[in-house]
């Protein structure tokens, strides 16, 4: 066996070969420094394995490979239908290897295996790649009539080398969101995975080569944000940066990317409101509210973590929500079928959530449910019981700051105007939700909510066919849907003089 892979047996018994190198030019190689990142199993706090960590030198090598591939006829001049065919092949390979990919995702990240398999790998990854494969031969410009003396037309051209930095909450899903439109448009890629979850993306990289992509088209690195991430953001031969992560890191990436005025897409933090009016279907509002904050261990950028309930049904909503948590949010081993909530991804995230619980208590909010570590999974792991606070004031930290855990605040409101004003009283503007059976009210409130997305009578019901992104400090640009393609092409205008003489 190569010294760039290790044979592992996951907690569910699945054996597989885990690559540990960095993926450049369709091959795994060691990082120049030899430095490694150790992946920790958040369920029991044991080491899984260590992988090579890229530094600026490795990033430079990867960028050179991507630039060479971008200019090479094997990619640049390929029939776009053939390019789409490679993407379809990749989607099929993801489906063939779905159980292994989901196993690694659960082991490395902590999310329930059933979610990793069905929602993330089979739906989000394979589906998103297949969706954008269909666009590969449908990206075109237009002819613009300026009169008989000129033929004017546009061409949609790929940007070039794209740096893509993905988060730890949906490692494979977010990779697909970025790879899909970039590849469909003919770009080449240098992708960095989150250092907290370095494993699944390396196994995915083996499928890139099998799908037939030329060397250098997709390069995948692990590495620390301060080293590899910064090198990607500031590299002078990278044309675009796409980043998903915290708002604070997004600001730093914007600064570094400005060195050569890179095209930039950012999907950053959120503190999304969910508004329940007194005419809502209460049972459905409770169930969707629970999904909107407690799924994926609450580690969702669009999590509807601020729930506003009209005062006439507030007490009833709170009691039903508490009961829903008790019935549904089973915390436990993510490989067990009945587990709804696994561990937080890392010790740092676990401690962050516990810190906010203490903040809520100290500021005088009422702890209604949870509020402590969950120690019933062999006494180890980064588990936190789902937590609900009520009687929360709008100036409290737990109302204003993104927590990124199974942690929700539920507050009451009197009027529609008050709900909108308080929902918008945030620096973020990613997702939002409205529950009402009054269709006019639903559309009216959706228009006034300051967010990139509004769900009416659901929450976090996203679809890769629909644009995704935020306003304010929740990001710049859009991913997914047809809109996601705009972030990966330039419009070139061509003017053909048909007879104008000077």
């Amino acid at each position: 066996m190569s010294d760039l892979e290790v044979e592992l047996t996951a907690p569910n018994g699945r054996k597989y070969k885990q690559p540990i190198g960095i993926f450049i030019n369709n091959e795994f190689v060691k990082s120049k420094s030899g430095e490694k990142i150790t992946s920790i199993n958040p369920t029991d706090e044991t080491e899984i394995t260590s992988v090579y960590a890229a530094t600026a030198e490795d990033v430079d090598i990867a960028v050179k490979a991507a630039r060479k591939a971008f200019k090479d006829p094997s990619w640049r001049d390929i029939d776009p239908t053939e390019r789409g065919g490679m993407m379809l092949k990749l989607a099929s390979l993801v489906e063939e290897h779905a159980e292994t990919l989901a196993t690694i995702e659960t082991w490395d990240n902590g999310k329930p295996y059933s979610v990793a398999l069905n929602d993330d790998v089979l739906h989000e990854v394979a589906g998103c790649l297949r969706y954008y494969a269909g666009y590969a031969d449908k990206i075109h410009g237009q002819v613009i009539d300026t009169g008989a003396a000129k033929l004017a037309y546009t061409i949609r051209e790929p940007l070039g080398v794209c740096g893509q930095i993905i988060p730890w909450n949906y490692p494979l899903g977010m990779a697909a969101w970025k790879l899909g439109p970039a590849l469909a448009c003919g770009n080449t890629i240098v992708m960095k995975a989150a250092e907290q979850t370095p494993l699944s993306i390396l196994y995915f990289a083996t499928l890139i080569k099998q799908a037939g992509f030329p060397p250098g088209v997709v390069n995948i690195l692990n590495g620390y944000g301060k080293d590899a991430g910064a090198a990607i953001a500031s590299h002078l031969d990278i044309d675009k940066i796409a980043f998903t992560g915290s708002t604070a890191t997004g600001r730093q990436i914007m600064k570094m990317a400005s060195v050569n005025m890179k095209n930039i897409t950012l999907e950053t933090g959120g503190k999304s409101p969910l508004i329940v009016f007194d005419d809502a279907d209460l049972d459905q509002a409770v169930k969707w509210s629970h999904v909107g904050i407690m799924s994926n261990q609450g580690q969702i950028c669009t999590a509807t973590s601020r729930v506003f309930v009209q005062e006439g049904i507030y007490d009833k909503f709170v009691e039903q929500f508490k009961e829903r948590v008790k019935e549904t949010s089973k915390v436990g081993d993510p490989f067990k079928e009945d587990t709804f909530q696994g561990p937080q991804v890392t010790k740092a995230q676990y401690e962050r959530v516990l810190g906010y619980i203490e903040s809520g208590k100290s500021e005088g909010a009422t702890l209604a449910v949870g509020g402590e570590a969950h120690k019933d999974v062999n006494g180890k792991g980064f588990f936190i019981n789902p937590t609900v606070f009520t009687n929360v004031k709008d100036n409290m930290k737990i109302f204003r700051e993104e927590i990124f855990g199974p942690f929700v605040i539920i507050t009451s409101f009197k009027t529609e105007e008050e709900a909108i004003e308080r929902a918008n009283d945030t620096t973020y503007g990613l997702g939002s939700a409205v529950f009402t059976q009054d269709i006019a009210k639903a559309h009216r409130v959706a228009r006034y909510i300051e967010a990139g997305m509004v769900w009416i009578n659901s929450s976090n019901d996203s679809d890769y066919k629909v644009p995704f992104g935020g306003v304010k400090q929740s990001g710049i640009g859009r991913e997914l849907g047809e809109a996601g393609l705009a972030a990966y092409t330039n419009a070139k205008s061509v003017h053909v003089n048909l007879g104008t003489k000077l």
Side-chain angles (χ1 to χ4, degrees), residues 276-281 310 313 435-438 441:
V276 183
F277 287 99
D278 55 14
D279 66 343
D281 181 326
Q310 201 153 22
I313 59 169
F435 284 82
T436 177
Q437 296 187 73
D438 181 335
K441 183 193 295 180

Side-chain angles (χ1 to χ4, degrees), residues 113-167:
Y113 175 76
S114 59
V115 174
L117 178 64
N118 298 311
D119 296 356
D120 290 16
V121 176
L122 289 173
H123 175 74
E124 204 71 31
V125 181
C128 187
L129 290 171
R130 189 166 280 118
Y131 172 78
Y132 279 111
Y135 268 114
D137 56 4
K138 300 170 187 68
I139 297 166
H140 51 76
Q142 59 184 160
V143 175
I144 301 161
D145 187 357
T146 64
K150 177 189 282 190
L151 170 63
Y153 63 94
T154 60
I155 305 170
R156 302 299 306 192
E157 295 187 330
L159 299 178
V161 177
C162 300
Q164 300 182 328
I165 301 174
I166 59 174

Side-chain angles (χ1 to χ4, degrees), residues 484-500:
L485 297 166
Y488 288 97
T489 62
N490 283 322
K492 176 182 281 184
S493 299
V494 181
H495 302 256
V496 183
N497 186 346
L498 299 180
T500 300

Side-chain angles (χ1 to χ4, degrees), residues 59 62-70 75 157-166 175 177-192 216-221 229 231-233 235-243 260 262-265 479 484-490:
V59 168
V63 172
K64 284 182 169 66
R67 181 61 63 187
K68 182 180 179 183
F70 182 69
W75 182 248
E157 295 187 330
L159 299 178
V161 177
C162 300
Q164 300 182 328
I165 301 174
I166 59 174
W177 282 24
K178 289 173 172 51
L179 286 169
L183 291 172
C185 294
N187 297 280
T188 57
I189 294 150
V190 176
M191 175 175 282
K192 189 193 90 70
V217 171
V218 180
N219 306 277
I220 296 175
L221 315 176
I232 289 171
H235 201 288
L236 293 176
D237 201 29
I238 287 181
D239 302 294
K240 180 196 174 60
I241 289 290
F243 166 79
N260 63 336
K262 291 179 179 68
N263 180 307
I264 191 164
T265 304
E479 295 187 304
L485 297 166
Y488 288 97
T489 62
N490 283 322

Side-chain angles (χ1 to χ4, degrees), residues 78-120:
I78 194 174
D79 184 319
T81 304
E82 188 177 344
R83 187 166 68 235
M86 291 179 192
M87 296 178 67
L88 289 171
K89 174 65 173 175
L90 180 58
S92 295
L93 285 167
V94 165
E95 290 170 335
E96 288 176 30
H97 292 259
E99 291 182 353
T100 299
L101 288 166
T103 294
I104 304 169
E105 198 85 319
T106 294
W107 196 8
D108 198 24
N109 170 278
K111 66 177 63 193
Y113 175 76
S114 59
V115 174
L117 178 64
N118 298 311
D119 296 356
D120 290 16

